[in-house]
Amino acid sequence: MEKLELIATTTFGLEAVCKRELLDLGFEDKLVENGKVTFFATEKDIPKANIWLRTAERVLLKMGEFKALSFEELFERTKALPWDEWIPEDGNFIVEGKSVSSKLFSISDSQRIVEKAIVEKLKTKYNVEWFKKSGVKYTVEVSLLKDIATLTIDTSGEGLHKRGYRDRAGDAPIKETLAAAMILLSFWNKERTLLDPFCGSGTIPIEAAMIGKNIAPGLDRNFAAEEWVRIPKEYWSEARRDAFKAIDNNVKLDILGCDIDKRSILRARDNAANLGLEEDIQFFMKDMRDVDLKDDYGVVITNPPYGERMGEKEEIEQLYTDLGKKFKELNTWSMYIITSEESFEKLYGKKADRKRKLYNGRIKVDYYQFYGPKPPKEN
């Protein structure tokens, strides 16, 4: 089967996590760059990548890449690409674009040139002068970075963070992809207790339960490429059957989520129930200061309130100080906390073993990692 180049796009800072996911899925990675990982795959792998990737934002089919210093060059090189092998005569293709540090800085002009080039290419196969575009949608993107044009078609449709379970979200929800990355970057595993003391609508506990039970994150949603003529329907059916078979329904998880807001807890329970995980996660309403915990090698992974979005600065600072005091006595616990507060370590009362720069939406955050000892059976 023909080898294709696919691109898994990511939030900045998650490229290495996504690369590890791709390697674990059996893909051969080619290149890791800011915000994306290029890898080799086949048509059958397009469903697999979309259904299984937890930290990628989208999976793009790479049509071509070349230097473009003029619109004439962009037109001719785009026209030479095999658009006719993917887009049918009635294909409803639209062109999106972006340009950074490139001579061809006009995005609208670049989009127009690329669309014209694709039309000219399709004319050579379908022998028509006008395309109705009444069929399946194909989202083409021309990305210009330092005069290098990358042409892709989006296979995902809606962003992969939209798993389908989060009907109700809180006031400041964390993206599912970032929540999954926080878990994958931690030392938590399905044998250990996990607590999110600021669980909101339950995203971190739910993503952890999905990882613990090996539930593919895209199992309950649809993708743009499912409607493409080029990819047989049985590829999608087979990928979903394999994903269902991979679920570990026998694993016993100890995942806890608490919040002081009753509405958040109700949302979290509903979201977990959408995946049938209501028996795997305990959500309860309580201030984190009052939660009773055993010193039993548990793991905290959390996205606490930060900035002016969620409350006054003084309240947030006191919250972080109290969080540090709460877990100071729990010597065997590991803590993983994401926040935009630059003085977090001072407020928490301890320097992190590792700090990783990430982004929560457009907000620059740091992921503070405090390592506790390994449980005895892991030694």
Side-chain angles (χ1 to χ4, degrees), residues 113-170:
I113 292 296
V114 167
E115 181 173 7
K116 183 179 178 182
I118 294 173
V119 167
E120 291 303 312
K121 179 68 173 189
L122 296 181
K123 281 181 180 180
T124 63
K125 179 173 182 177
Y126 301 117
N127 197 28
V128 296
E129 289 299 313
W130 183 73
F131 294 92
K132 296 180 180 180
K133 292 189 176 183
S134 58
V136 174
K137 183 177 179 181
Y138 293 77
T139 302
V140 175
E141 181 182 77
V142 50
S143 174
L144 291 152
L145 175 62
K146 296 180 180 178
D147 296 322
I148 301 298
T150 304
L151 281 296
T152 60
I153 308 178
D154 176 23
T155 74
S156 300
E158 286 194 304
L160 295 181
H161 70 279
K162 295 188 176 181
R163 319 289 207 215
Y165 65 77
R166 201 162 70 175
D167 293 336
R168 304 169 66 190

Side-chain angles (χ1 to χ4, degrees), residues 78-95:
T78 298
K79 182 182 175 183
L81 298 176
W83 302 103
D84 54 312
E85 295 179 10
W86 291 93
I87 302 176
E89 183 176 344
D90 65 346
N92 179 20
F93 69 92
I94 61 170
V95 180

Side-chain angles (χ1 to χ4, degrees), residues 69 220 243 262:
L69 297 176
D220 198 33
K262 183 178 180 180

Side-chain angles (χ1 to χ4, degrees), residues 190-369:
K190 59 188 177 183
E191 306 296 327
R192 302 179 72 171
T193 298
L194 184 147
L195 167 68
D196 180 358
F198 307 98
C199 71
S201 57
T203 306
I204 291 174
I206 291 171
E207 290 293 322
M210 293 175 72
I211 291 170
K213 300 189 76 167
N214 202 34
I215 299 173
L219 198 49
D220 198 33
R221 55 159 288 173
N222 296 316
F223 305 93
E226 282 192 69
E227 303 301 319
W228 294 4
V229 176
R230 171 76 180 259
I231 304 176
K233 298 287 187 184
E234 55 262 32
Y235 288 178
W236 293 93
S237 299
E238 183 180 341
R240 285 196 171 90
R241 283 197 301 271
D242 290 343
F244 272 113
K245 291 177 183 177
I247 297 173
D248 184 357
N249 285 312
N250 297 318
V251 67
K252 301 298 181 184
L253 301 173
D254 186 16
I255 299 176
L256 312 171
C258 71
D259 202 284
I260 59 172
D261 181 55
K262 183 178 180 180
R263 291 175 302 172
S264 293
I265 294 300
L266 293 175
R267 291 189 193 107
R269 288 173 178 168
D270 285 348
N271 291 337
N274 285 337
L275 287 174
L277 295 173
E278 57 267 52
E279 300 298 322
D280 299 285
I281 310 170
Q282 296 181 55
F283 288 113
F284 54 96
M285 189 175 69
K286 186 169 280 192
D287 190 306
M288 70 89 189
R289 303 170 183 89
D290 302 323
V291 178
D292 295 322
L293 297 168
K294 296 179 181 179
D295 199 9
D296 58 356
Y297 300 91
V299 177
V300 166
I301 304 178
T302 193
N303 173 43
Y306 44 86
E308 275 63 41
R309 282 178 74 188
M310 295 293 294
E312 298 299 326
K313 185 174 178 60
E314 293 78 10
E315 293 179 4
I316 299 301
E317 290 179 348
Q318 186 60 54
L319 185 68
Y320 292 167
T321 299
D322 292 344
L323 183 65
K325 291 178 180 177
K326 173 72 177 179
F327 288 95
K328 185 178 181 180
E329 304 303 321
L330 296 172
N331 297 318
T332 65
W333 280 65
S334 297
M335 308 287 293
Y336 299 87
I337 302 160
I338 194 169
T339 177
S340 63
E341 176 57 61
E342 294 184 358
S343 61
F344 174 77
E345 289 170 306
K346 181 179 178 182
L347 295 166
Y348 186 76
K350 186 178 180 181
K351 186 173 178 60
D353 294 295
R354 184 174 182 183
K355 185 171 72 170
R356 191 179 189 120
K357 178 182 173 182
L358 298 173
Y359 283 87
N360 186 0
R362 295 182 179 273
I363 303 172
K364 176 188 168 294
V365 294
D366 285 302
Y367 189 36
Y368 296 91
Q369 303 173 50

